[in-house]
Amino acid sequence: MEPEIFINFKHYDNAVGTNSEKLLTDFKSIKKQNGLYYCMAETDLYLQKSFPGLHIYGQHVDSNGYGAFTGSVSIESLLDLGVKGSLLNHSEKRVDSSIIESVVKKSKELGFKIILCVENLDEAEKYSKLEPAYIAYEPPELIGGDISVSSARPEIIGQAAEICKGRTKLLVGAGVKTKEDVDTSMALGAAGVLIASGIIKNAKPINRLVSLMGNR
Amino acid sequence: MEPEIFINFKHYDNAVGTNSEKLLTDFKSIKKQNGLYYCMAETDLYLQKSFPGLHIYGQHVDSNGYGAFTGSVSIESLLDLGVKGSLLNHSEKRVDSSIIESVVKKSKELGFKIILCVENLDEAEKYSKLEPAYIAYEPPELIGGDISVSSARPEIIGQAAEICKGRTKLLVGAGVKTKEDVDTSMALGAAGVLIASGIIKNAKPINRLVSLMGNR
């Protein structure tokens, strides 16, 4: 099975607004887009229309639908743009468990994919029961660093994979940078990785992404 | 002085996504766009590029700039889209006072206009000292209703205007629906109004907006 690679653009200066379009144009040169997902700032999600061959995902969604809500991002509004999934509960955008339950339930009704981020095995256990499309496990102390979870704590990837089995797919995040990180994660039972600075802050994001993909 | 009219599209089904573009196309037929501002969902702000003659504003901004932030909307990202202002602290999207201080300070450095929503005169007093571009005063119990603050509690508009004098411009919101509401607000010292359902949920939003504008 080939790894699914979710790239979190975060709010990095080279990955927001005008620059995000340049980055997507680079990534578009990769012919095999299957399994690649670009998680972009809310204000950039309209680019899905200009890049119909790419899978553009959100970084956060709120629980509300249409109505009297100011400053919100609904699943409905993303689907309207052609965006079919989003991160939720990233360590930089944590939400209450009641909201997580509500959003995951709604996402399944609407055919929208939620990548639910968790910080530890207890959360993986608790939230995998909701059966979101994905659980992304990121130990917060490793996010943005140079040490990957697959090298620092490989045993917990196996444990997380066991928890997710039969319920949802597991993504591994935090510090992922190399093909070895991806391979180790896959060998331990993950379906793929969630990666941000490892690609986006690299001098050549496109080269880094291609090297992570391997011979696919 | 002609009233400034800020229209909050909220997340109403006829004012988000594909439908928001239709609504803007209607509003575009108004020749005199001076003093009209359309506050739209974050995912729709890219439309500023397609409607360069209209003033498209945001509904919320976060305090961060570029960097490792997931699911955020920065002033920088809005400016990149050509959007030059935003609501902040709407009663449907309240934020901490430390964030308000930080965002207003930054907005002035970057030449970005903040319409800071407040719920009572104490907040008007506290936040007008920060000198945001606008203070929008909306008694929460009147938001979305049929009774306007200008008819229910005209005396507090005068008090709010007195507080804002020399510091910032006052907008009056909550229940605003008619030309009389606008005129009363202006007579009491406001610079304009913030209106949502009164226009957006009307059967003919464009007609309602034109009637509020009067002979300008």
Side-chain angles (χ1 to χ4, degrees):
Chain A
M1 205 171 62
E2 284 174 345
E4 296 185 77
I5 302 178
F6 287 75
I7 305 149
N8 184 359
F9 282 37
K10 293 197 177 183
H11 213 73
Y12 290 128
D13 58 356
N14 65 323
V16 171
T18 312
N19 288 336
S20 75
E21 198 167 349
K22 292 181 191 160
L23 208 49
L24 277 187
T25 304
D26 282 348
F27 290 145
K28 192 184 165 188
S29 67
I30 298 172
K31 279 187 187 149
K32 189 163 181 183
Q33 289 291 332
N34 197 23
L36 298 183
Y37 300 87
Y38 308 98
C39 304
M40 303 180 64
E42 294 150 18
T43 44
D44 295 327
L45 294 178
Y46 73 96
L47 289 168
Q48 180 66 77
K49 295 180 189 176
S50 314
F51 294 88
L54 273 54
H55 303 113
I56 294 178
Y57 272 35
Q59 293 179 355
H60 168 78
V61 279
D62 293 308
S63 57
N64 62 273
Y66 293 122
F69 306 99
T70 295
S72 79
V73 182
S74 66
I75 290 179
E76 286 85 344
S77 63
L78 266 54
L79 285 170
D80 182 78
L81 289 168
V83 171
K84 298 193 167 61
S86 177
L87 302 178
L88 181 71
N89 197 42
H90 189 276
S91 66
E92 291 157 6
K93 187 81 175 183
R94 297 272 283 181
V95 293
D96 291 343
S97 63
S98 62
I99 291 178
I100 291 175
E101 286 173 29
S102 153
V103 172
V104 171
K105 182 168 181 285
K106 183 174 158 183
S107 72
K108 294 195 284 184
E109 290 163 2
L110 296 179
F112 187 86
K113 307 268 189 190
I114 288 291
I115 301 100
L116 184 58
C117 301
V118 303
E119 295 187 342
N120 54 55
L121 293 177
D122 285 347
E123 286 186 359
E125 175 66 34
K126 177 179 176 183
Y127 292 128
S128 62
K129 290 177 185 162
L130 302 176
E131 301 188 358
Y134 300 86
I135 287 278
Y137 176 61
E138 298 195 295
E141 67 276 16
L142 299 175
I143 291 179
D146 287 325
I147 302 167
S148 69
V149 61
S150 58
S151 57
R153 306 175 67 189
E155 73 288 356
I156 53 174
I157 298 180
Q159 290 166 15
E162 194 57 39
I163 288 169
C164 292
K165 204 170 179 177
R167 293 173 173 170
T168 176
K169 293 199 271 190
L170 175 69
L171 302 177
V172 172
V176 173
K177 280 197 169 52
T178 67
K179 180 71 167 63
E180 289 64 42
D181 292 329
V182 177
D183 291 344
T184 305
S185 299
M186 297 296 288
L188 291 165
V193 296
L194 172 59
I195 179 167
S197 62
I199 287 179
I200 302 295
K201 297 313 287 175
N202 190 280
K204 303 255 185 196
I206 171 77
N207 294 359
R208 173 52 54 179
L209 174 54
V210 169
S211 80
L212 284 186
M213 293 172 67
N215 298 316
R216 60 197 289 177
Chain B
M1 204 173 62
E2 286 173 345
E4 297 185 77
I5 302 177
F6 287 75
I7 304 149
N8 184 359
F9 282 37
K10 295 200 176 182
H11 212 73
Y12 291 127
D13 57 356
N14 65 323
V16 171
T18 311
N19 288 335
S20 76
E21 198 167 348
K22 292 181 192 162
L23 208 49
L24 277 187
T25 304
D26 282 348
F27 290 145
K28 193 184 165 188
S29 67
I30 298 172
K31 279 187 188 149
K32 189 162 181 185
Q33 289 291 332
N34 196 23
L36 299 183
Y37 300 87
Y38 308 98
C39 303
M40 302 179 65
E42 296 151 14
T43 43
D44 294 327
L45 295 177
Y46 73 96
L47 290 168
Q48 179 66 77
K49 295 181 189 177
S50 313
F51 294 87
L54 272 54
H55 303 115
I56 294 178
Y57 271 36
Q59 294 179 354
H60 167 79
V61 279
D62 293 308
S63 57
N64 62 273
Y66 292 122
F69 305 99
T70 296
S72 78
V73 182
S74 67
I75 290 178
E76 286 86 343
S77 63
L78 265 53
L79 285 170
D80 182 80
L81 289 168
V83 171
K84 298 195 166 63
S86 178
L87 303 178
L88 182 70
N89 198 43
H90 189 277
S91 65
E92 292 157 4
K93 187 82 175 183
R94 297 273 284 180
V95 294
D96 290 344
S97 64
S98 62
I99 292 179
I100 290 174
E101 285 173 28
S102 154
V103 171
V104 171
K105 182 169 183 286
K106 183 172 158 184
S107 72
K108 294 195 284 186
E109 291 164 3
L110 296 179
F112 186 86
K113 307 267 190 191
I114 289 290
I115 300 100
L116 185 57
C117 301
V118 303
E119 296 187 342
N120 53 55
L121 292 177
D122 285 346
E123 286 185 0
E125 175 65 34
K126 177 178 177 185
Y127 291 128
S128 63
K129 290 178 184 160
L130 301 175
E131 300 188 0
Y134 299 86
I135 288 276
Y137 176 61
E138 298 195 295
E141 67 276 15
L142 300 176
I143 291 179
D146 287 325
I147 302 167
S148 70
V149 62
S150 57
S151 57
R153 306 174 67 188
E155 73 287 356
I156 54 174
I157 298 180
Q159 291 167 15
E162 196 56 39
I163 288 169
C164 292
K165 204 171 180 176
R167 293 172 172 171
T168 176
K169 292 198 271 190
L170 175 68
L171 302 177
V172 172
V176 174
K177 279 197 170 52
T178 67
K179 181 74 168 59
E180 289 64 43
D181 292 330
V182 177
D183 291 344
T184 305
S185 300
M186 297 296 289
L188 291 165
V193 296
L194 172 59
I195 180 168
S197 63
I199 288 179
I200 303 294
K201 297 314 286 176
N202 190 279
K204 305 255 185 197
I206 172 75
N207 294 0
R208 172 54 51 180
L209 174 54
V210 169
S211 80
L212 284 186
M213 294 172 68
N215 298 317
R216 63 195 287 175

